[in-house]
Amino acid sequence: MAHLSDSSFPDTPLPDVIPRLGALFEAAGFELSLVGGPVRDLFLGRVSPDLDFTTNARPDDIIKVVRGWCDTYWEIGREFGTIGMRKDGFQIEITTYRADAYDPDSRKPAVAFGERLEDDLFRRDFTMNAMALRLPQMELVDPFGGVRDLHAGQVRTPGAPSTSFSDDPLRMMRAARFASQLNVALAPEVFEAMKDMAERITIISAERVRDELVKLINGKAPADGIDLLVESGLADYVLPEVSALKLEIDEHHRHKDVYQHSLTVLRQACDQETGADGPVPGPDFVLRFAALMHDVGKPATRRFESTGSVSFLHHDVVGAKLAAKRMKALRFDNDTIKAVARLVELHMRFYGYGDAGWSDSAVRRYVNDAGPLLERLHRLTRSDVTTRNRRKAERLAFAYDDLEQRIAKLAEQEELASIRPDLDGSQIMALLGIGPGPVVGRAYRFLLEERMENGPADPQEAEAKLRTWWQDQPESSQAAAED
């Protein structure tokens, strides 16, 4: 491990790979600096396994320097001046100094290489990310006060925030992410620029917005980041369904603040995640995003009843559709969309269990409908309890404990996670003397329903049920007539 010589730095040990790489570039006649997040992280007492460097060497020169030294390298980002590599377990990216030019109406910068480290730092998003460690001298380069802002706990931009956000509007979302992850505040001028320029986020591709949103949701304090998106107006364009949760509170306070409730559910869902060896290791985007979106159907379904109460009938079903629609617009993959939407749809299923109780068949359906999402559904349902009424909270917790115990008991008896009919498709066709077709599907669903309702049956009992069912089917009469 090397140590930093600059007195401005904390006494943080550095992996030897950093000074060794610096010495290689110096010997080849090029500048090299550790830059951005890895430098910021040194002040936070940590060393990232992902190391970013910047240099005046061009991509071809970078390859000449590192070839034979690194374990492997790749050129995927070559057109942007970036060469990636791996060395001693570290993921490394080295990028030529950039002096990008932005078209105000374009989603992407016109890549232009620069000549000076200071110019490269000026084009970066925030002052805390615009610091560099010049190698191999270990000299801190901080022209825009990144250390000052880190100590002050503020997110600032190297230049005017309006210029920075105009260059790359995604930086507005990134500002909210950094503020929430590092538990720091946005400088007043940064927040004002976000509010003034929120609409400009619409020129950013859905894929880039999605990736930044995932990073925010999977971060240390996602509810705080979402709150910044909503308060700045960015969520009006990125997650309008969440902004819409800020329902006007009626003068009689007949319903709770749905928006603040949703942020609380998100926080509690994060707390429900398990370690790496548990059933829902965190951060779990599906659980967290479902927690945020679970009530987005309420604005569209809110009704004030004659009794003075307020209802949100079927908000779970409506919310599932809204969540899926938003995720499709953000170009999420189908599996993630289906998982989040299913959790939103199922999040109300438990309520009523504590009052009326469920039959074994109802418990089976709950498990079957949740499928592989059951562990997440457990955690979402528990997170959805935000009442300040201690008795009510304890009653709901007790009821859900009871439900989980019943699920575990039935699972031991019946293998609930893989419920199937007592006869498979081949057995159905052989027993009824029919070939493949829709009738087999109907028979399969009938037997599955019987399995759900009454539990497992022995083969003879299942065959008898199937024959009785078959007698009432029109195809049975037709087959008898043909015989």
Side-chain angles (χ1 to χ4, degrees):
M1 292 283 186
H3 285 264
L4 301 166
S5 59
D6 193 297
S7 61
S8 302
F9 266 100
D11 186 21
T12 306
L14 285 180
D16 289 337
V17 69
I18 294 176
R20 282 160 50 200
L21 189 56
L24 280 177
F25 273 75
E26 183 182 50
F30 298 111
E31 299 175 4
L32 185 75
S33 297
L34 184 70
V35 71
V39 180
R40 177 199 68 227
D41 286 349
L42 293 175
F43 288 92
L44 301 176
R46 61 197 188 200
V47 176
S48 171
D50 299 330
L51 302 175
D52 296 326
F53 296 85
T54 188
T55 178
N56 61 345
R58 296 300 193 257
D60 285 343
D61 299 318
I62 295 172
I63 292 173
K64 289 178 182 177
V65 174
V66 303
R67 184 188 287 128
W69 173 80
C70 61
D71 299 328
T72 185
Y73 73 89
W74 52 91
E75 305 179 46
I76 296 174
R78 184 189 184 95
E79 64 176 306
F80 300 104
T82 299
I83 302 298
M85 65 202 70
R86 189 175 295 109
K87 176 69 175 179
D88 295 345
F90 288 92
Q91 191 95 346
I92 296 171
E93 287 190 351
I94 304 177
T95 302
T96 304
Y97 293 155
R98 296 270 291 272
D100 297 341
Y102 286 80
D103 182 332
D105 298 320
S106 174
R107 294 176 173 179
K108 297 181 180 179
V111 177
F113 295 145
E115 301 295 336
R116 299 175 64 247
L117 173 61
E118 289 75 13
D119 294 338
D120 181 89
L121 295 178
F122 182 74
R123 58 166 286 278
R124 294 179 179 269
D125 50 10
F126 308 114
T127 58
M128 65 178 65
N129 296 330
M131 300 184 289
L133 181 63
R134 200 185 297 273
L135 301 170
Q137 306 95 303
M138 303 292 185
E139 173 194 353
L140 176 65
V141 181
D142 181 20
F144 308 108
V147 173
R148 174 203 64 208
D149 292 337
L150 264 179
H151 288 322
Q154 286 202 321
V155 177
R156 295 184 184 274
T157 54
S162 57
T163 301
S164 181
F165 296 157
S166 180
D167 283 349
D168 186 358
L170 192 65
R171 288 173 175 173
M172 294 186 285
M173 289 186 65
R174 203 173 297 144
R177 172 164 65 90
F178 276 117
S180 62
Q181 284 182 341
L182 301 178
N183 192 28
V184 298
L186 298 177
E189 68 274 14
V190 170
F191 187 63
E192 288 302 313
M194 289 168 64
K195 291 197 294 185
D196 293 341
M197 303 177 67
E199 185 180 8
R200 187 161 168 73
I201 196 69
T202 57
I203 75 165
I204 299 298
S205 69
E207 290 81 1
R208 291 187 69 206
V209 169
R210 174 202 63 208
D211 291 347
E212 188 60 40
L213 178 63
V214 170
K215 291 177 182 177
L216 187 155
I217 293 293
N218 282 347
K220 185 177 180 180
D224 295 343
I226 291 295
D227 196 39
L228 285 172
L229 295 185
V230 171
E231 294 302 320
S232 66
L234 280 165
D236 293 347
Y237 304 98
V238 175
L239 286 174
E241 297 81 5
V242 175
S243 294
L245 291 173
K246 298 192 75 172
L247 298 171
E248 180 181 351
I249 303 297
D250 61 282
E251 59 179 333
H252 301 294
H253 297 278
R254 288 174 289 186
H255 63 84
K256 59 189 173 185
D257 185 330
V258 181
Y259 171 66
Q260 289 299 330
H261 163 75
S262 297
L263 294 186
T264 300
V265 174
L266 173 55
R267 292 187 181 99
Q268 294 183 168
C270 294
D271 293 338
Q272 288 279 335
E273 292 170 339
T274 65
D277 296 332
V280 185
D284 188 276
F285 176 81
V286 169
L287 172 62
R288 294 183 177 200
F289 200 60
L292 175 65
M293 302 291 281
H294 78 286
D295 274 349
V296 295
K298 281 190 170 180
T301 58
R302 183 174 64 161
R303 297 290 184 271
F304 293 106
E305 306 294 346
S306 57
T307 58
S309 63
V310 62
S311 68
F312 302 96
L313 192 63
H314 303 311
H315 77 271
D316 43 358
V317 177
V318 172
K321 293 178 180 177
L322 289 174
K325 183 178 180 182
R326 177 54 45 196
M327 294 180 75
K328 287 176 183 176
L330 290 172
R331 305 290 193 271
F332 277 91
D333 63 277
N334 287 335
D335 288 344
T336 304
I337 293 172
K338 289 178 181 177
V340 170
R342 188 62 168 158
L343 285 175
V344 173
E345 182 182 358
L346 293 175
H347 84 273
M348 291 294 293
R349 182 73 65 87
F350 160 74
Y351 291 95
Y353 175 86
D355 297 326
W358 283 357
S359 64
D360 284 351
S361 64
V363 175
R364 293 186 193 100
R365 293 178 196 282
Y366 187 78
V367 173
N368 190 67
D369 289 347
L373 298 171
L374 181 63
E375 289 291 345
R376 289 184 173 115
L377 182 58
H378 287 335
R379 285 154 178 77
L380 175 59
T381 303
R382 290 185 180 277
S383 301
D384 196 22
V385 179
T386 62
T387 179
R388 295 181 181 178
N389 185 319
R390 190 179 69 180
R391 285 189 177 182
K392 182 178 180 181
E394 289 176 350
R395 186 174 71 252
L396 288 169
F398 176 81
Y400 208 83
D401 287 344
D402 183 68
L403 174 58
E404 287 201 64
Q405 290 168 9
R406 289 187 61 193
I407 289 173
K409 185 176 180 180
L410 281 173
E412 288 180 9
Q413 300 170 354
E414 305 179 17
E415 300 181 7
L416 284 185
S418 56
I419 289 180
R420 297 290 184 273
D422 296 300
L423 301 175
D424 62 25
S426 298
Q427 291 171 309
I428 291 171
M429 288 188 287
L431 187 65
L432 301 182
I434 60 175
V439 178
V440 180
R442 295 208 322 264
Y444 187 94
R445 288 190 293 274
F446 163 74
L447 289 173
L448 180 60
E449 186 73 16
E450 284 291 314
R451 172 72 170 78
M452 288 286 189
E453 191 66 31
N454 302 305
D458 58 46
Q460 293 78 13
E461 184 182 354
E463 289 178 9
K465 288 181 178 180
L466 182 61
R467 291 185 188 280
T468 301
W469 172 85
W470 176 239
Q471 290 173 4
D472 294 331
Q473 305 306 305
E475 292 86 355
S476 173
S477 300
Q478 181 179 351
E482 290 175 354
D483 290 343

